[in-house]
Amino acid sequence: MSTTGRLVVIVLFEGVDLLDVTGPPEVFSLARREAGDVATYEVVLAAASLEPVTTAAGVRILPDVTFDQAAGRSIETLIVPGSVEADGEQRVRAVVDPGLVERVKALAVRTRRVASVCVGAHLLAAAGLLDGKRATTHWSTAHQLAAEHPEIEVDADPIFIREGDVWTGAGISACLDLSLALIADDLGEEIALRVARQLVMYVKRQSGQSQFSVPLEQISATRRIEDLRHHILRTLGSRLTVADLAAYAHVSDRHLTRLFKTELGMTPYAYIESVRVEKARHELESSDATLERVAAVCGFGTVDTLVRAFRRRLNATPTEYRSRFRTRRDVVRPARPARAARAD
């Protein structure tokens, strides 16, 4: 381990999610390998004591320093992972220990930038570090974060969000994307892309990319909305209006809007657009279809409408998105049989 350079401190505590802790060090290590002396990162794990810490996965990790020792140094980046607990009905809640919150608050004072991984955002929020800011977290606890901290603008869609020197990342594997973004901030996009290739990540995902697919969100509470969601998926390429959906569900337009806002947290129009964008993303990633074809299949009608929806939701045009996330497929063609020799 290097003893000089940019000091990255990762908070360690009982029950912490394992990948949240082990993912970032691997990324910073590869940055050192790719950039040499330019990337002098020193990554240390800090805990209340030097005793082994048991993660949520049951794997025990040894801290490098105590919180008190870390607080005595000038920290470049403080990374705060999280932990969750589930009740008997498998409903997940972020765990927020008041003592740990105070430790995070004290370390943040010594830090140039602070980043949370997954539900670690709840610890930053409790420490007052997200007040008045836009932030993300794992989608499963986003409602909890918004309910407990109305002063924060919670956006559960992006894989990470930067607000000045405070960064918040979404769930689990997004810790790699967040770490790559921190490296890009320090060393530039080229180094970050080289590290992404070493991680066998096709590209370094941008912050605007959604952390989950709309059709895979949590199931609606009522059968009526769930039926409507399946109806939308089946008829996505056709013209879908609030009146059409209300007629299908045998309710008034106003009642339909109220149902969507209550159960899905958005209007029917916003939900339809989100599903269309998700389908368009899949088409752009996996096919060579023209933008006109993608717009028609996904129900946008025109390319202009498709472009506006992508800019609004992903901060990128469909062409930009395809260039970043297109899955390359190597086509293996059978060898042509050799021509028989002509008899003269």
Side-chain angles (χ1 to χ4, degrees):
M1 180 183 297
S2 172
T3 57
T4 61
R6 299 177 176 88
L7 178 61
V8 179
V9 174
I10 301 177
V11 173
L12 197 59
F13 56 92
E14 288 291 321
V16 68
D17 287 332
L18 178 61
L19 187 58
D20 291 1
V21 175
T22 59
E26 184 67 23
V27 179
F28 288 113
S29 174
L30 286 172
R32 289 197 299 270
R33 192 173 82 183
E34 289 297 313
D37 293 338
V38 176
T40 53
Y41 288 104
E42 178 189 359
V43 181
V44 300
L45 307 181
S49 73
L50 296 180
E51 294 298 314
V53 170
T54 304
T55 66
V59 176
R60 302 173 77 200
I61 298 178
L62 283 173
D64 299 302
V65 297
T66 66
F67 289 137
D68 290 335
Q69 290 170 333
R73 299 184 60 182
S74 179
I75 303 170
E76 172 75 11
T77 305
L78 177 68
I79 297 180
V80 182
S83 179
V84 297
E85 59 185 5
D87 61 18
E89 298 180 6
Q90 297 304 305
R91 289 176 298 195
V92 174
R93 287 186 61 81
V95 176
V96 180
D97 177 75
L100 186 60
V101 170
E102 291 303 312
R103 291 292 197 172
V104 168
K105 190 183 301 185
L107 289 172
V109 175
R110 304 281 302 167
T111 303
R112 184 181 75 79
R113 65 184 176 190
V114 179
S116 65
V117 178
C118 198
V119 298
H122 293 259
L123 293 169
L124 296 192
L129 300 174
L130 300 181
D131 290 357
K133 291 182 171 61
R134 179 168 164 262
T136 193
T137 186
H138 192 275
W139 61 266
S140 65
T141 66
H143 288 299
Q144 178 190 350
L145 185 62
E148 295 177 353
H149 300 278
E151 68 280 3
I152 300 171
E153 182 187 345
V154 179
D155 187 346
D157 196 48
I159 55 175
F160 66 86
I161 291 174
R162 178 183 185 178
E163 287 277 301
D165 290 329
V166 178
W167 306 59
T168 51
I172 314 302
S173 64
C175 69
L176 303 180
D177 300 286
L178 177 62
S179 300
L180 286 168
L182 294 172
I183 289 170
D185 188 48
D186 292 335
L187 307 173
E189 289 286 339
E190 177 57 31
I191 298 298
L193 286 170
R194 282 159 56 183
V195 173
R197 285 195 289 269
Q198 291 298 327
L199 290 166
V200 200
M201 296 171 69
Y202 175 56
V203 290
K204 184 178 76 67
R205 293 189 293 175
Q206 304 300 307
S207 63
Q209 189 175 6
S210 177
Q211 63 165 297
F212 58 89
S213 301
V214 173
L216 299 182
E217 294 175 25
Q218 56 189 354
I219 297 174
S220 310
T222 66
R223 179 64 179 272
R224 175 173 284 165
I225 291 296
E226 194 62 19
D227 285 346
L228 274 169
R229 290 175 58 171
H230 286 291
H231 174 68
I232 289 169
L233 286 172
R234 289 194 303 269
T235 59
L236 198 59
S238 62
R239 181 174 179 268
L240 289 170
T241 66
V242 172
D244 294 332
L245 295 179
Y248 177 83
H250 305 292
V251 296
S252 68
D253 293 9
R254 181 176 297 180
H255 185 54
L256 180 82
T257 299
R258 187 163 55 248
L259 286 172
F260 267 79
K261 286 185 175 180
T262 299
E263 295 197 29
L264 301 179
M266 63 183 77
T267 65
Y269 173 80
Y271 181 78
I272 292 170
E273 183 181 78
S274 67
V275 177
R276 282 176 169 156
V277 167
E278 179 65 26
K279 181 172 176 58
R281 284 171 54 186
H282 175 74
E283 291 292 326
L284 293 168
E285 291 170 6
S286 61
S287 78
D288 295 318
T290 64
L291 294 187
E292 289 79 5
R293 174 62 178 169
V294 172
V297 168
C298 300
F300 286 106
T302 67
V303 172
D304 284 345
T305 306
L306 171 68
V307 170
R308 286 196 298 271
F310 263 63
R311 285 193 181 280
R312 184 163 46 246
R313 293 186 172 271
L314 302 177
N315 296 321
T317 66
T319 301
E320 290 168 341
Y321 183 89
R322 172 173 267 166
S323 68
R324 293 173 185 165
F325 306 118
R326 175 78 167 90
T327 302
R328 293 177 178 172
R329 293 173 295 177
D330 294 326
V331 179
V332 179
R333 294 182 173 87
R336 292 181 177 179
R339 291 184 177 180
R342 188 177 60 184
D344 292 327

